Amino acid sequence: MLTEEHFAMLTSFRIRAMADKLREMIDDPSYDSLTFEERMEMLIDAEASARRDRKISKLVRQARFKLPSACVEDVLYLPGRKLDKDRVTRYAECRWVDECEVMVVISKTGCGKSYLCQALGNAACRKLIPVRYTRLADICDDLNRSRAAADDSYYQKMDEYKTVRLLIIDDFMTTPIETRNAIDLFEIMEAREHRRATLIASQLEPNEWYLRIEGELMADSILNRIATGARYIDLDGPNMREYLAKEKEA
C-alpha cells in the first residue's frame, strides 16, 4: 500500500507531477476500470507535460519579454490592421525560425508591432526555441558597457546576440547609431545570416534605416543582410493602446 513516505520519495526523485497524478488515481474510483498500461501512460504523460511546461516557463523568463503574457491567441484582427489571422497562425508554427529567416514588422507608433513580435516570440518558446527580446538601443548600451569593462564580457554578449535561435529586435533604428555600434550590428547580422532567425520591429521602412546608420559602406552591408529576402508584415489601423484603453473603460 502506498504511504505518504512513498509520495515524498517520488517528489524527491523530481517526478512531482507523476506523484500528484498517482494520488489522483488512488482517490478517484473512475480510474479503477483502467488497465495497468493505461494508468502508466497517463502517469508518464502527466510528468512529460509538467516538464515541458517548466521548460517553456524558463524560456519565457530568459527571453526577457516586456509583455511575457503576449500570445498569438490574443492578437486582435480589427478592420484596417492589414493583419491576416491565417498568416499569423502560420508564422506561429515557427517554420520560418527553423529556416533561419528574417522577418520585419513595420508600423507607426501604437499599432501593436511590439505585441505581435512578443506573441510570435512566445510561440517560439512553446516550441522550445530559445528567444531573446530586446531593443536596438539596449543592444548598443549593453555592448558599449561591456566593451568598457576590463574583461571578456563584450565577447560573451556578442556571442549571445549572434547565437540565440530567435533574436527579436524592437524599436529598430528609432534613433541613429554611431559607427562602433553599426559595426556591432553588422557583426551580429553577419553571424546570424542563414544560421539563426531574426525578427525586427520598426516604425521606419528599410530605405529610411539607411539614413540612421553612420557610414555608407556599413549601412549597405547591414541592410543587405536584413532587408534582402526578409518577410514583411506591414501593420496599420487604429492606435492599439488607445483602443484597449477605451475597451477597458467600457
Side-chain angles (χ1 to χ4, degrees):
M1 180 178 179
L2 291 175
T3 65
E4 289 300 322
E5 183 178 354
H6 290 114
F7 286 108
M9 290 174 65
L10 290 175
T11 300
S12 70
F13 296 156
R14 298 185 178 180
I15 49 175
R16 175 69 177 271
M18 184 178 286
D20 290 343
K21 189 65 178 180
L22 179 58
R23 187 188 295 275
E24 178 186 333
M25 288 181 171
I26 292 172
D27 294 339
D28 188 345
S30 65
Y31 289 100
D32 292 348
S33 61
L34 299 180
T35 65
F36 175 78
E37 288 81 3
E38 288 172 333
R39 296 187 190 191
M40 282 302 302
E41 182 180 359
M42 295 180 73
L43 290 171
I44 293 169
D45 287 346
E47 184 62 34
S49 178
R51 293 192 177 202
R52 180 181 176 84
D53 289 344
R54 289 196 295 271
K55 287 181 181 178
I56 293 172
S57 296
K58 182 178 180 180
L59 287 171
V60 170
R61 289 194 303 272
Q62 291 176 338
R64 305 180 189 179
F65 295 123
K66 186 177 180 180
L67 298 170
S69 62
C71 60
V72 293
E73 292 82 2
D74 290 340
V75 172
L76 298 178
Y77 301 92
L78 302 177
R81 288 201 81 190
K82 298 181 181 179
L83 194 58
D84 182 75
K85 185 174 183 179
D86 290 339
R87 188 182 182 192
V88 173
T89 301
R90 186 168 66 252
Y91 288 159
E93 291 297 316
C94 297
R95 285 190 291 272
W96 67 277
V97 178
D98 294 332
E99 293 170 4
C100 305
E101 297 183 17
V102 175
M103 186 181 296
V104 179
V105 181
I106 298 175
S107 79
K108 60 187 178 183
T109 300
C111 285
K113 58 185 176 297
S114 294
Y115 186 94
L116 178 60
C117 287
Q118 291 175 84
L120 291 173
N122 221 318
C125 290
R126 295 181 192 177
K127 299 287 185 181
L128 304 183
I129 296 172
V131 178
R132 176 67 188 277
Y133 169 83
T134 186
R135 299 165 59 248
L136 179 57
D138 291 335
I139 292 178
C140 295
D141 289 343
D142 192 20
L143 293 175
N144 288 341
R145 284 195 301 270
S146 60
R147 195 188 340 258
D151 53 29
D152 294 331
S153 59
Y154 170 77
Y155 300 102
Q156 294 171 359
K157 295 287 186 182
M158 284 292 284
D159 284 344
E160 290 174 12
Y161 291 123
K162 288 178 179 180
T163 60
V164 66
R165 280 191 63 190
L166 174 57
L167 177 63
I168 303 176
I169 309 177
D170 204 350
D171 290 332
F172 193 78
M173 295 299 168
T174 300
T175 56
I177 60 174
E178 58 186 25
T179 300
R180 64 176 178 175
N181 291 134
I183 294 173
D184 290 337
L185 181 58
F186 167 75
E187 292 295 337
I188 291 169
M189 298 312 301
E190 163 65 20
R192 299 186 64 79
E193 188 176 23
H194 306 309
R195 299 182 184 92
R196 297 289 188 272
T198 306
L199 176 55
I200 290 172
S202 180
Q203 298 177 39
L204 305 173
E205 297 288 342
N207 63 328
E208 297 175 283
W209 299 346
Y210 190 91
L211 304 175
R212 303 294 180 111
I213 303 171
E214 194 173 276
E216 182 177 343
L217 180 60
M218 191 57 61
D220 283 337
S221 299
I222 292 171
L223 291 178
N224 184 58
R225 283 161 177 77
I226 298 176
T228 304
R231 295 175 182 262
Y232 287 89
I233 299 177
D234 292 306
L235 282 179
D236 206 341
N239 185 303
M240 295 306 295
R241 293 189 183 93
E242 295 177 1
Y243 174 85
L244 293 173
K246 291 178 181 178
E247 286 290 302
K248 189 175 182 180
E249 293 174 357

